Amino acid sequence: METRWLYTTSENFAALREASKKTCIIPMGCIEKHGLHMPVGTDIIKGSKVAYMASQIETAAVFPDFTFGDVPAGAHAKRPDGTICLDVTLQMTLLETLCNEIAANGFEKILVVNSHGGNTRWLDTFARNLGVRPHNFVFGHVKVPLPAPHMMAEILEKNGRGSIPEINEEDEELLIKYHSEGMTGGHACMGEAALVMGFAPESVHLDRLGIESGLRQSVPELDKLQSAGVNIASGGWGSYFPNWFSGHDPVGCNERIGQAALRISAEFVAKAIKAFKEDEYMMAAMKAKQLL
Ligand SMILES: [Zn+2]
């Protein structure tokens, strides 16, 4: 059925509420540089796609994209490059307001499908802070996984060659090679490149690889602070990875690997939606005003 909030008629909302067991998901990302080879909207582009695909496996209403996210102000130094930095307090207020509006439309469970690592911390703070004001929904968040190359190589190891139908033997070799070599990733890496290439290959420019490095840069001053137990913003991520690219070059990534990665990622998120829909504990705890 049509699960997208924006594409549903007012008359059909009751059916969507019922089919989704009053569960609504919000794709969330951010807008920031992703190396030279990936678009600045990578996180919300892939988050939105995976959330929609997941909703077609396990029915949930899909709220319009929460496009923004926590991008550290340090990114200002790199602009103009398309990066957008918004105050997180503003985003927390906006998210709570949107959740209340979703609840006003009869949904009781709200799950953020988060596609940007930098959002995890504030989403947890947001969830912990919800109890300070009365609200009538339960809230959770799930991270969009990046199946390529490690998760996919593990599937091949476990289930055998040919167990990922979208890819060919050459792709299998590539994934297994990167997995055995311990390919690093995290930002604009093979995992992210695959998810975007799965449906928007024209937005990924692998010919721009090799110009800026995705490998961890040496910053002994920050190492010293952190080894003394001093916590700094994002563990100094922006200094260690100044090119907004973290990982080995995703050479050889392609649309087939991307389509498989999208399916595997969507299946993971669908399982999270199912568990969240079936859960009764959180709602009971909220109604009893117990701390979660
Ligand atoms: Zn990203």
Side-chain angles (χ1 to χ4, degrees), residues 30 32 34 42-43 46 115-117 186-188 192:
C30 75
E32 67 178 359
H34 274 70
T42 289
D43 288 356
K46 72 191 204 297
S115 185
H116 168 55
H187 202 259
E192 289 206 308

Side-chain angles (χ1 to χ4, degrees), residues 25 27 46-56 62 113 269 273:
I25 61 176
K46 72 191 204 297
S48 185
K49 181 72 175 175
V50 169
Y52 175 67
M53 287 174 71
S55 79
Q56 292 297 304
V62 185
V113 177
V269 172
I273 295 172

Side-chain angles (χ1 to χ4, degrees), residues 36 79 98 132-133 180 185 191 209 249 271 276:
L36 294 180
R79 292 196 288 183
L98 293 174
V132 301
R133 279 179 287 279
S180 63
L209 289 170
D249 289 349
K271 271 190 197 160
F276 193 62

